[in-house]
Amino acid sequence: MLQKNTYAAPASQAAALRLPPLTAASGGRVPHASVIALASIVALLSLVPLGFIVWVTVDTGWGEVIALVFRSRVGELLTNTVLLEACTIPLCIMLAVTLAWLTERTNIPGARIWSWLAVAPLAVPAFVHSYAWVSLLPGMRGLWSGVLVSVLAYYPFLYLPVAAQLRRLDPAIEDAAASLGLGPWRVFFRAILPQLRLAICGGSLLIGLHLLAEYGLYVMIRFDTFSTAIVDQFQSAYNSPAANMLGGVLVFCCLLLLAIEVLVRGNERYARVGSGAARPADRRRLGWLVIPATALPLAAAVLTLGVPFVTLARWLYLGGAGIWRMDTVGSALLQTIALAVAGGLLATIAAAPMAWLSVRAPGRLQRILEACHYYVGSLPGVVVALALVSITVRLVLPLYQTSATLLLAYVLLFLPRAMVGLRASIAQAPVELERAAMALGRTPSQAVRQITMRLAAPGFAASVALAALGITNELTATLMLSPNGTETLATKFWSLTSEIDYVSAAPYACMMVVLSLPLTLLLYAQSKRTAGQ
Amino acid sequence: MTFSFTHLTSALALAAALAVAPLTANAADSEGIVVYNAQHEGLTQAWADGFTKETGIKVTIRNGSDMQFANQIVEEGAASPADVFLTENSPGMALVDANKLFAPVDADTLAQVPETFKAADGNWVGVAARSTVFAYDKTKLKESELPKSLLDLADPAWKGRWGASPAGADFQAIVSALLELKGEDVTKSWLKALKANATPYKGNSVAMKAVNAGEIQGAVIYHYYWFGDQAKTGENSKNVALHYFKNQDPGAFVSISGGGVLVSSQHKKEAQAFLKWITGKGGQAVLRDGDSYEYAVGNGAQSNPKLVPLSELQAPKVEPSKLNSKKVTELMTEAGLI
């Protein structure tokens, strides 16, 4: 459900920019111009961080830019980043595909429970994963620790789409392959794996971007990435050219990842042609192999859930009742919920015009606007925050250090998440119902409001939940942009762990997990539903 | 999942509206002061609580780090939401002062603190102090093997054996003292050696923890981390002892935590009262009795009896206004440390 399904645009709709007449007699089409205008505003806003970096680069002057970008420290960070991506993503793919295969296509006992447990790590924020590991093994540091914790924290982003895709596959293709004499292994690699390509690419991209953006996880295990280095610079000199230039390199890395994903994804057809529907695939009987096959999801669950829960429980036990101070924990909880819900709603509302356009009126301009919506979500929080800090303090002082700016950052960061749920549900609301309503005398905007919006409500709620889940655990932008006196669970947790007060930090970690659990459940239910179960 | 999403959404929207309302209220509009705080949160919170209890004036704290806030205040200029700026070290203070953004501190506040712990121009005042130490692993190093001077750590013999927190304001203050005492060339080569020899950590407590765990044999940090941990459980410092460099070595640098009132403040009276309170009896007693273990600096104020007295540290004489933070950031960026 987290993939970007490329929506095939019928050629007849390519000229979407032509303004249709507003009368219901013309076949009752909703005018697109106003929706395009709305989506363009959001797209323009999403270009702000990129525009800022370009402006700073010009403002700094080439000599200094070159001195700040082509220095050995940047080389070190680049090496770290490339190694991290190159080690983590393949491991995530192997783990996620194997787990998805076991839970969806074999007869291991408790397949349902294992599939839920494979998604559950998403409820534990990445920096809580590393907090747990560092409490357990204080010596953890460097690349391999980074890879280990990243895989454990992020592989569900691949497991979800791959498992959903496996559920949808037409087993007839595998039967055909087997009838041509291929053994089970070769069937898997030649008939199944190629069909998982889109899911694997989408999930890998998501993980790759998370690795670039993540800050807290890598600080705890002492592994320097661009995000950690930008925060170091920010703390040493606020929004200095050095920090902004590192941001520029980081943005370049993000855009490079997006481009690589497009190249690897390719543009083959994956839909079946002809009549009939796919039957559900049989589950493979594993025989005695069931024991090692069950050991893998068990081991994954122990490492991804057991470790955080055991360490959290230990710190909570050591802290006793004294660490649950209602004035601090309670207030951080309320502020987090408020920000998450407000940000989630705003992000979803901002994504709505584009989601509607991409389904109802695809076209060349719309594709460009949509690219803006997606690219901005790929930017790390630290980059967006740096841009907004500088712009508000220099140009728009009334917005400086207000909730409005923080919420704007959340909207930009979580636009793509909001798009995903909305698009799917708008696509499922038949356009004919809108037209029928208009034929019965409703104005176009009434028709959209009364028909499509109602039908898309579940998708809307899922989008809000997804964005809220991201906001609950957001750290860097919140640290840099929050209004005076605002403390969220994430920022409080962070300041306490920086002092190595792991005991007092535990309640905050615990609350973040508790808040994330229902949202993760929703995500899981959604992915089951899109796969038609 | 059969519950109604629309009901859920409207309920959540209502909850959000209710909860965001207090968030959007700007702290500066209310009666009270905004403190840009780079000091340890616990210490400033204790100060703020004590001050509010005595005067009824509300204190809103924004937490960050020395140089971030100093540069931020310069960038904010006349529009700064902050009334008071508190640091852990003086370079941040010197930067704000050089940009003429501090209002002069009230005379009776200045009178509470001796000459050595305030700015010569009277625009900011010391609120606490901290001493540089070499925290070492006493299970691995004998006293005779300890470095005599901070500069000895540049020796290749120390390669891979020590650590620090180079991105932190504390360490950058120590470097600024080195720069002031020994000049640019010595500092440059020392930083180069640091890049080659030392392990970088994020935070002094993390560096001390690494010494304790045997990852490195020593770390250049400030004194109070060790005392704080000993007072709690000691689990991050049981193998650690402190070595004071003394005899005016750059490594014996005593850093002044400063406080100042911003010239742009709309609540100068309250802000001055806050500075007066923390440099006075009540505020300095928090240092003596609390769990911060930083040195008290007020006239006649006692520090925690567990600490080595300030008078015995033989710190080098450094004029705080001369600490050049901008140069330090440049040199450290150049050395590839940040």
Side-chain angles (χ1 to χ4, degrees):
Chain A
M1 79 145 270
L2 286 163
Q3 335 151 35
K4 303 164 185 175
N5 330 325
T6 39
Y7 186 85
S12 62
Q13 295 197 330
L17 271 179
R18 260 204 338 248
L19 284 190
L22 291 179
T23 52
S26 72
R29 297 265 301 276
V30 176
H32 301 154
S34 51
V35 188
I36 288 184
L38 288 173
S40 305
I41 293 171
V42 179
L44 277 177
L45 275 178
S46 73
L47 289 174
V48 164
L50 197 61
F52 171 77
I53 289 198
V54 171
W55 178 79
V56 166
T57 311
V58 173
D59 192 52
T60 308
W62 274 122
E64 197 175 348
V65 168
I66 286 171
L68 286 171
V69 171
F70 296 94
R71 55 188 186 111
S72 59
R73 175 76 176 149
V74 177
E76 279 170 29
L77 296 171
L78 210 53
T79 313
N80 278 359
T81 304
V82 170
L83 285 173
L84 179 71
E85 297 271 358
C87 300
T88 307
I89 293 177
L91 284 170
C92 281
I93 293 175
M94 280 194 282
L95 180 63
V97 172
T98 315
L99 280 179
W101 168 255
L102 288 172
T103 55
E104 296 301 329
R105 289 300 198 82
T106 66
N107 67 340
I108 57 166
R112 288 226 136 195
I113 296 168
W114 295 125
S115 84
W116 159 235
L117 288 178
V119 179
L122 282 184
V124 182
F127 53 79
V128 175
H129 276 287
S130 63
Y131 158 83
W133 280 93
V134 166
S135 322
L136 192 72
L137 305 165
M140 276 188 83
R141 60 164 191 264
L143 177 66
W144 292 112
S145 307
V147 170
L148 172 74
V149 183
S150 307
V151 168
L152 297 177
Y154 290 127
Y155 86 84
F157 281 126
L158 257 165
Y159 173 87
L160 270 172
V162 169
Q165 187 69 26
L166 269 175
R167 247 171 278 155
R168 273 198 296 260
L169 287 189
D170 185 350
I173 299 176
E174 293 151 56
D175 298 345
S179 70
L180 291 168
L182 297 184
W185 282 99
R186 289 166 73 196
V187 168
F188 179 81
F189 280 104
R190 289 177 58 183
I192 298 178
L193 205 55
Q195 296 187 78
L196 299 178
R197 188 195 234 178
L198 283 186
I200 289 176
C201 281
S204 302
L205 174 68
L206 203 62
I207 292 174
L209 292 171
H210 270 282
L211 299 181
L212 288 180
E214 181 56 45
Y215 165 73
L217 190 167
Y218 301 119
V219 169
M220 287 216 189
I221 51 168
R222 292 190 30 229
F223 181 67
D224 280 342
T225 66
F226 282 107
S227 283
T228 66
I230 292 170
V231 176
D232 283 352
Q233 277 287 355
F234 182 80
Q235 287 176 345
S236 310
Y238 195 48
N239 59 358
S240 62
N244 283 311
M245 286 306 101
L246 287 175
V249 179
L250 181 53
V251 170
F252 178 77
C253 292
C254 292
L255 298 177
L256 194 69
L257 269 188
L258 291 174
I260 291 173
E261 196 261 346
V262 170
L263 284 178
V264 176
R265 189 174 55 195
N267 49 6
E268 282 97 345
R269 267 187 63 99
Y270 289 89
R272 52 176 277 152
V273 211
S275 60
R279 62 179 166 83
D282 301 326
R283 287 183 174 262
R284 190 170 286 279
R285 289 191 187 74
L286 293 171
W288 66 271
L289 283 171
V290 94
I291 295 160
T294 316
L296 181 74
L298 178 68
V302 167
L303 295 180
T304 54
L305 300 166
V307 169
F309 279 94
V310 168
T311 43
L312 262 182
R314 186 175 149 250
W315 291 127
L316 289 173
Y317 170 77
L318 284 175
I323 50 176
W324 292 91
R325 293 188 38 200
M326 260 345 274
D327 54 340
T328 48
V329 182
S331 120
L333 176 68
L334 281 179
Q335 296 194 345
T336 305
I337 292 174
L339 284 170
V341 174
L345 280 170
L346 282 172
T348 313
I349 291 165
M354 190 66 243
W356 189 86
L357 277 179
S358 68
V359 173
R360 286 278 194 268
R364 192 168 303 157
L365 171 71
Q366 284 84 326
R367 267 207 297 279
I368 294 170
L369 293 180
E370 193 174 11
C372 290
H373 281 65
Y374 278 122
Y375 112 89
V376 72
S378 75
L379 296 182
V382 66
V383 170
V384 173
L386 206 53
L388 290 180
V389 159
S390 311
I391 290 168
T392 50
V393 75
R394 287 176 200 172
L395 304 172
V396 216
L397 258 173
L399 283 180
Y400 179 61
Q401 284 185 5
T402 57
S403 306
T405 309
L406 180 59
L407 289 172
L408 174 63
Y410 288 155
V411 166
L412 294 180
L413 289 171
F414 298 112
L415 262 185
R417 289 189 185 213
M419 293 272 293
V420 170
L422 271 179
R423 262 188 67 156
S425 59
I426 292 174
Q428 285 165 350
V431 69
E432 289 75 12
L433 290 180
E434 260 175 47
R435 293 190 183 150
M438 282 187 260
L440 293 169
R442 295 280 192 287
T443 64
S445 64
Q446 277 178 331
V448 171
R449 250 202 328 271
Q450 294 174 353
I451 309 289
T452 311
M453 279 192 183
R454 281 190 188 174
L455 287 171
F460 185 91
S463 285
V464 174
L466 257 184
L469 174 65
I471 294 169
T472 302
N473 306 326
E474 208 290 331
L475 179 64
T476 40
T478 314
L479 279 175
M480 289 188 191
L481 296 171
S482 61
N484 289 322
T486 300
E487 287 276 19
T488 66
L489 293 171
T491 59
K492 235 12 225 172
F493 171 79
W494 190 245
S495 64
L496 288 164
T497 50
S498 317
E499 307 257 336
I500 319 202
D501 194 348
Y502 286 177
V503 171
S504 307
Y508 297 96
C510 192
M511 294 316 299
M512 278 188 277
V513 173
V514 168
L515 276 188
S516 306
L517 265 176
L519 300 172
T520 310
L521 259 168
L522 186 77
L523 203 65
Y524 179 72
Q526 272 261 327
S527 81
K528 281 270 195 234
R529 216 188 3 258
T530 46
Q533 289 193 0
Chain B
M1 309 285 286
T2 51
F3 61 86
S4 158
F5 276 110
T6 32
H7 288 172
L8 176 74
T9 321
S10 38
L12 285 178
L14 189 69
L18 288 175
V20 172
L23 280 183
T24 44
N26 200 330
D29 303 338
S30 59
E31 280 312 294
I33 52 172
V34 172
V35 176
Y36 273 10
N37 171 50
Q39 252 294 356
H40 284 263
E41 281 178 44
L43 173 59
T44 303
Q45 195 61 58
W47 275 337
D49 291 345
F51 174 70
T52 306
K53 203 164 146 188
E54 215 160 292
T55 61
I57 297 167
K58 190 168 158 273
V59 180
T60 304
I61 300 172
R62 184 183 186 86
N63 291 304
S65 53
D66 283 9
M67 294 322 299
Q68 170 205 328
F69 275 145
N71 284 290
Q72 189 167 339
I73 288 168
V74 171
E75 181 114 24
E76 289 165 352
S80 179
D83 301 299
V84 174
F85 180 31
L86 292 183
T87 57
E88 298 194 293
N89 307 282
S90 34
M93 285 291 168
L95 179 71
V96 175
D97 198 15
N99 283 278
K100 305 202 168 26
L101 293 169
F102 278 139
V105 177
D106 282 356
D108 47 358
T109 305
L110 289 170
Q112 301 191 110
V113 179
E115 286 310 314
T116 33
F117 292 117
K118 61 192 173 200
D121 60 6
N123 286 343
W124 60 267
V125 60
V127 293
R130 52 208 24 224
S131 168
T132 313
V133 293
F134 186 69
Y136 67 96
D137 184 343
K138 61 186 183 204
T139 64
K140 292 211 177 73
L141 285 178
K142 290 204 273 300
E143 284 198 27
S144 57
E145 297 168 318
L146 293 170
K148 294 278 172 293
S149 157
L150 184 73
L151 295 170
D152 294 353
L153 290 169
D155 196 309
W158 278 98
K159 195 174 168 59
R161 292 168 56 202
W162 69 289
S165 171
D170 287 354
F171 188 80
Q172 290 176 10
I174 297 169
V175 177
S176 72
L178 177 66
L179 178 66
E180 176 57 23
L181 292 163
K182 302 282 175 189
E184 190 172 330
D185 292 346
V186 174
T187 309
K188 252 191 181 159
S189 57
W190 190 78
L191 287 173
K192 213 165 131 181
L194 166 70
K195 176 79 183 168
N197 292 353
T199 315
Y201 292 87
K202 291 263 192 293
N204 287 332
S205 32
V206 184
M208 180 176 74
K209 202 176 166 188
V211 174
N212 189 55
E215 286 176 39
I216 43 175
Q217 294 175 5
V220 175
I221 57 172
Y222 281 136
H223 74 281
Y224 59 86
Y225 291 92
W226 185 84
F227 290 99
D229 195 69
Q230 289 282 314
K232 272 195 289 202
T233 55
E235 64 177 318
N236 300 314
S237 62
K238 55 181 181 296
N239 303 329
V240 181
L242 299 186
H243 166 54
Y244 294 83
F245 287 100
K246 298 196 175 171
N247 70 58
Q248 285 76 41
D249 189 77
F253 172 61
V254 169
S255 187
I256 307 167
S257 305
V261 174
L262 297 196
V263 78
S264 56
S265 166
Q266 304 294 312
H267 310 93
K268 284 205 183 64
K269 203 164 101 286
E270 294 85 349
Q272 293 283 8
F274 182 64
L275 272 194
K276 187 178 176 186
W277 191 88
I278 56 178
T279 52
K281 233 189 210 93
Q284 295 296 297
V286 169
L287 293 171
R288 184 191 61 213
D289 308 330
D291 52 9
S292 73
Y293 295 96
E294 296 184 43
Y295 287 105
V297 294
N299 284 320
Q302 298 295 315
S303 297
N304 189 301
K306 287 183 185 158
L307 305 181
V308 179
L310 268 175
S311 53
E312 291 172 25
L313 295 176
Q314 300 168 15
K317 279 232 172 314
V318 182
E319 167 55 42
S321 61
K322 291 219 171 86
L323 297 177
N324 185 344
S325 52
K326 197 163 178 302
K327 189 76 200 165
V328 168
T329 315
E330 275 168 26
L331 291 174
M332 291 184 72
T333 302
E334 217 172 289
L337 290 160
I338 51 173

